[in-house]
Amino acid sequence: MASAGAGEGKETGTAAGSSLHSKTLLKSQPLYQYILESTVFPREPDCLRELRVATATHPMAGMAASPDEVQLLQLLIEILGVKNAIEVGVFTGYSLLATALALPDDGKIVAIDVTRESYDQIGSPVIEKAGVAHKIDFRVGLALPVLDQMVSEEGNKGKFDFAFVDADKVNFLNYHERLLQLLRVGGLIAYDNTLWGGSVAAPHDEPLSERDRALAAATREFNAAVAADPRVHVCQVAIADGLTLCRRVA
């Protein structure tokens, strides 16, 4: 769920006290713990573990991506041979560090958030110590104006290989349009929280808060739009709170 806001406000059910959201959609917590302990934690770099543990102490810790999701993103970045990436929504920088570690030494990632506060307090010291700070171009501001500026800059269209979006859900479609201009054909966009705690499939009489009901509707609208978008191939992954992968094909 990552950042405290890269657009007009990051929505997080966990931080707001909703029971909808957790680090997994799996119904079995022991099974999820098995996945983490058998596959994720044994391969986790020390610096990433340090930042994950530090992030867990933050009052809004539920906004961070899950460890298994971060592991998947790193694998995808390596498979794609990503050199230039974008992250919309940073929070403490947990997923940002994972991306930076997966990039080659001359790789770059543009990180966008409305504030650096949590990043500077928690993530930046770990990232500096990990030796990957030189890969990060942090841009403070609302994501839409920052992305519009990037689109307007010469040489940026089709330059990027990968983007991870973990920010305000109501702007996902707006981000999608900008990111498709910035990504090369064959590049990948990963959108977080696209099952919104399972509420996207909730019946009409499900007892949801007004906020969760509205965000579930916005998420369904986004999922339907990208599924019908001929410019991308789409895959919905039931990991963390739902991850939608969009590979640009046109």
Side-chain angles (χ1 to χ4, degrees), residues 110-114 137-141 146 149-150 153 156:
V110 176
I112 306 169
D113 206 306
V114 291
D137 174 8
F138 201 119
R139 304 193 185 187
V140 178
V146 174
Q149 177 63 34
M150 290 176 64
E153 292 171 357
N156 273 348

Side-chain angles (χ1 to χ4, degrees), residues 40-62:
V40 180
F41 293 160
R43 305 297 296 268
E44 185 179 42
D46 290 343
C47 59
L48 200 57
R49 180 181 297 108
E50 180 181 354
L51 185 47
R52 172 173 58 81
V53 172
T55 298
T57 68
H58 193 287
M60 306 288 281

Side-chain angles (χ1 to χ4, degrees), residues 18 25 28 39-40 43 47 58 64 66 70 74 84 93 101 112 116 129 150 153 187 197 204 211 221 232 236 243:
S18 167
L25 290 167
S28 169
T39 308
V40 180
R43 305 297 296 268
C47 59
H58 193 287
S66 70
V70 161
Q74 285 190 302
N84 294 294
L101 289 170
I112 306 169
R116 288 180 59 112
K129 187 168 63 174
M150 290 176 64
E153 292 171 357
H204 292 299
R211 178 176 167 279
E221 179 185 2
V232 296
Q236 174 67 255
L243 183 70

Side-chain angles (χ1 to χ4, degrees), residues 138-174:
F138 201 119
R139 304 193 185 187
V140 178
L142 295 174
L144 287 179
V146 174
L147 290 171
D148 283 337
Q149 177 63 34
M150 290 176 64
V151 169
S152 71
E153 292 171 357
E154 185 176 355
N156 273 348
K157 289 187 177 180
K159 172 183 176 179
F160 294 87
D161 310 294
F162 175 80
F164 178 50
V165 182
D166 191 4
D168 53 317
K169 311 307 161 202
V170 295
N171 268 316
F172 268 24
L173 282 174
N174 291 322

Side-chain angles (χ1 to χ4, degrees), residues 49-217:
R49 180 181 297 108
E50 180 181 354
L51 185 47
R52 172 173 58 81
V53 172
T55 298
T57 68
H58 193 287
M60 306 288 281
M63 293 194 299
S66 70
D68 51 331
E69 179 182 29
V70 161
Q71 185 185 57
L72 172 62
L73 294 178
Q74 285 190 302
L75 183 62
L76 292 172
I77 289 166
E78 292 168 359
I79 290 171
L80 288 168
V82 172
K83 187 171 182 179
N84 294 294
I86 300 169
E87 181 157 329
V88 183
V90 176
F91 188 37
T92 66
Y94 174 56
S95 56
L96 181 63
L97 173 57
T99 297
L101 289 170
L103 293 177
D105 190 61
D106 60 345
K108 296 293 181 184
I109 176 168
V110 176
I112 306 169
D113 206 306
V114 291
T115 176
R116 288 180 59 112
E117 182 178 358
S118 296
Y119 175 76
D120 286 340
Q121 290 177 352
I122 299 176
S124 182
V126 181
I127 289 171
E128 289 282 353
K129 187 168 63 174
V132 294
H134 66 283
K135 301 180 186 181
I136 297 169
D137 174 8
F138 201 119
R139 304 193 185 187
V140 178
L142 295 174
L144 287 179
V146 174
L147 290 171
D148 283 337
Q149 177 63 34
M150 290 176 64
V151 169
S152 71
E153 292 171 357
E154 185 176 355
N156 273 348
K157 289 187 177 180
K159 172 183 176 179
F160 294 87
D161 310 294
F162 175 80
F164 178 50
V165 182
D166 191 4
D168 53 317
K169 311 307 161 202
V170 295
N171 268 316
F172 268 24
L173 282 174
N174 291 322
Y175 298 151
H176 187 68
E177 291 304 319
R178 276 79 171 171
L179 290 170
L180 282 181
Q181 296 182 66
L182 294 166
L183 251 67
R184 64 172 172 84
V185 172
L188 187 72
I189 312 172
Y191 294 98
D192 201 17
N193 306 116
T194 52
L195 294 177
W196 201 247
S199 62
V200 291
H204 292 299
D205 58 353
E206 183 81 10
L208 300 175
S209 69
E210 289 185 12
R211 178 176 167 279
D212 276 325
R213 194 173 298 280
L215 289 170

